[in-house]
Amino acid sequence: MAPQHKRVRVRGPAMGAAAVVVSAALAAAGPAPGAGAARADDSRPPAPAPTVPGVTPPVPAAPAVPPLPVTTWDVQVPRPKVPAFGAFLASDARGVARVEQLSHWLGGAELRVGHTYLPGNHWSDIEGDIRFLEDWAHWRNAREDRMLVLNVPLQERNEGGVSDDEVRRLLRRGAAGEFDHHFRALAERLVALKVPDTILVLGWEMNGTTYTHRCGPDPESWKKYWNRIVTTMRAVPGQKFRFDFTPNRGRDAVPWTRCYPGDDTVDIIGMDAYDQPAGMSFDEQVEEPYGLRAHVDFAKAHGKPVSYPEWGLFRNGDNPEYMRRMLAWMDEHRPLYNTLTDYCPHGVWQCDDNPESSRVYRSVLSGRSDEPAPVPTPTPPGPTAPPPPQNCSPLDLGSFVEHWLGGKLCLRFDWWSRSAP
């Protein structure tokens, strides 16, 4: 029920016979203050004690001051999403165990990317008949937002020093479909391990000279072979694979754009980017032909996200400036993921040769997480006092006086037109 207001006339030296209204909230059916014992649920202040001649009335206790609103932290909003990152720490179960250790070293930073490689010694390796894949699958499935990145050789004897002529013959055999069944077996293995969304870095660093799966001896056959592999693996029921085309930074043996197999079979355009050659500044690494800028521009033109499956120190030793600039580059260009190669000479955690770069990496990435950040929410305000009557201006006489009067005094706007009693 709306509060009622009682009017009393008070004479004062400044107002004469001004009509003054006391605004006091009264319960509709409740007795007037002092008219009997108050009920237990009566929230009105007690009536003043009667005056006895010669006895000073006791001073009533001041009303309790309500506490200030308390700020709580019960609402959370997400921070800007942190780009997924991790490190290559070892191919087998040791690498899985080290993910948590590296996270601890980084102050609890969330490493959402696990990165490993299939050996390329035999076709059975490439088919995924590798026990450690079970450990990586278990790690990946422990959290919904994790990524498993798997480098996949395109040929057995992948680091066997095979000649260009032999590489050319192997690429043509692959383009003709001779090796399809090996990649079908790998796809079925990954689906069975419940990691059907694995990111597959097929035939990485194809523009170089190291691997038997290199592109240089026959780029056209290489692209046809890549397309057959992707088509074969995508045909396996339950798969959700993403395929990452990842050359070396720079021209190397052949411009990597000559090896690009097409937008239909590429989901991510990656780059392995190490601090090399000796004496090359970071700005030169950005602007060189087929360098870092060409990479992000190419990916943008093709509507693909970028990645950095391998990166780290190399020919310029402990180089904190490179480390700082590369981390800033990735913060700017927001790759789908990046994984530092963490062993000597490239790394910063398992390698003691790069202490200054280690400090930079740790200071930049420590504590990074996708956990939502709490924001303060003020406690809703308490009940408000009833509004004064119309045509009335409230007077501030202090809480002590208002306590004795049982409400606020307000001066009517039309007091001069009324006569005093």
Side-chain angles (χ1 to χ4, degrees):
M1 182 177 294
Q4 296 179 346
H5 302 276
K6 66 177 180 180
R7 295 177 178 174
V8 297
R9 296 189 182 276
V10 179
R11 294 184 183 275
M15 294 184 290
V20 181
V21 177
V22 176
S23 171
L26 299 176
R39 298 192 311 269
D41 61 347
D42 195 338
S43 60
R44 293 167 297 177
T51 302
V52 178
V55 178
T56 302
V59 178
V65 178
L68 293 174
V70 178
T71 297
T72 60
W73 295 85
D74 56 355
V75 175
Q76 294 183 327
V77 295
R79 295 185 177 100
K81 191 166 183 65
V82 175
F85 72 98
F88 173 69
L89 303 167
S91 289
D92 56 17
R94 294 171 297 173
V96 179
R98 290 169 185 167
V99 172
E100 184 176 353
Q101 297 168 26
L102 178 57
S103 174
H104 180 74
W105 183 72
L106 290 173
E110 185 180 0
L111 275 65
R112 294 199 289 121
V113 187
H115 187 188
T116 190
Y117 296 72
L118 292 177
N121 300 318
H122 308 286
W123 279 115
S124 60
D125 301 333
I126 298 171
E127 290 176 357
D129 188 18
I130 303 297
R131 193 64 175 269
F132 64 70
L133 278 182
E134 297 175 4
D135 299 296
W136 281 109
H138 179 75
W139 176 87
R140 159 64 186 92
N141 288 320
R143 284 193 56 161
E144 181 65 27
D145 61 350
R146 286 178 174 172
M147 300 181 186
L148 177 59
V149 177
L150 180 64
N151 278 47
V152 180
L154 303 190
Q155 296 288 349
E156 63 177 353
R157 298 180 294 142
N158 199 40
E159 296 184 57
V162 178
S163 69
D164 280 355
D165 286 342
E166 179 64 12
V167 168
R168 188 178 298 109
R169 285 192 290 271
L170 290 169
L171 289 175
R172 290 173 180 176
R173 290 169 63 189
E178 186 174 333
F179 307 131
D180 288 1
H181 62 287
H182 299 302
F183 297 96
R184 184 179 302 109
L186 173 60
E188 291 171 348
R189 169 88 164 133
L190 294 172
V191 170
L193 288 172
K194 296 182 171 54
V195 283
D197 58 353
T198 299
I199 295 172
L200 301 168
V201 187
L202 297 180
W204 68 101
E205 300 180 6
M206 77 297 295
N207 58 326
T209 60
T210 302
Y211 301 112
T212 303
H213 63 220
R214 61 189 181 270
C215 164
D218 191 344
E220 292 306 313
S221 293
W222 193 93
K223 290 186 282 189
K224 290 178 183 177
Y225 184 26
W226 167 288
N227 289 333
R228 285 202 69 97
I229 293 170
V230 172
T231 300
T232 297
M233 297 188 75
R234 283 179 174 170
V236 172
Q239 67 80 33
K240 302 175 185 177
F241 303 125
R242 285 180 286 180
F243 295 90
D244 192 331
F245 171 83
T246 299
N248 277 319
R249 195 203 77 235
R251 187 182 190 280
D252 213 330
V254 61
W256 51 261
T257 53
R258 289 185 57 195
C259 307
Y260 186 68
D263 292 344
D264 290 343
T265 57
V266 172
D267 299 299
I268 306 160
I269 298 178
M271 179 162 280
D272 287 354
Y274 291 97
D275 185 21
Q276 63 173 339
M280 177 176 275
S281 69
F282 186 80
D283 287 331
E284 291 172 314
Q285 294 177 30
V286 170
E287 302 300 342
E288 70 172 327
Y290 309 103
L292 291 172
R293 189 173 305 284
H295 169 229
V296 297
D297 288 347
F298 185 88
K300 183 177 181 180
H302 289 264
K304 308 293 182 181
V306 299
S307 71
Y308 298 95
E310 294 183 28
W311 70 279
L313 305 160
F314 199 8
R315 302 294 186 185
N316 295 296
D318 185 10
N319 188 350
E321 178 65 13
Y322 166 82
M323 183 60 62
R324 186 177 299 107
R325 296 285 301 278
M326 190 64 184
L327 289 169
W329 177 267
M330 290 187 285
D331 273 350
E332 178 183 357
H333 294 286
R334 313 292 287 186
L336 181 66
Y337 70 91
N338 81 80
T339 45
L340 176 78
T341 301
D342 194 64
Y343 57 82
C344 286
H346 312 301
V348 296
W349 179 54
Q350 298 182 103
C351 180
D352 295 332
D353 295 347
N354 305 308
E356 295 302 319
S357 299
S358 176
R359 276 191 280 272
V360 171
Y361 184 88
R362 192 178 189 188
S363 67
V364 171
L365 295 182
S366 283
R368 285 203 177 187
S369 172
D370 278 334
E371 294 299 323
V375 294
T377 302
T379 299
T384 57
Q390 295 181 349
N391 301 321
C392 182
S393 177
L395 302 176
D396 186 5
L397 302 177
S399 60
F400 180 78
V401 174
E402 290 169 1
H403 170 76
W404 276 96
L405 291 174
K408 283 185 175 292
L409 294 181
C410 62
L411 176 64
R412 292 181 60 92
F413 299 145
D414 56 352
W415 64 270
W416 59 86
S417 64
R418 296 179 180 271
S419 59

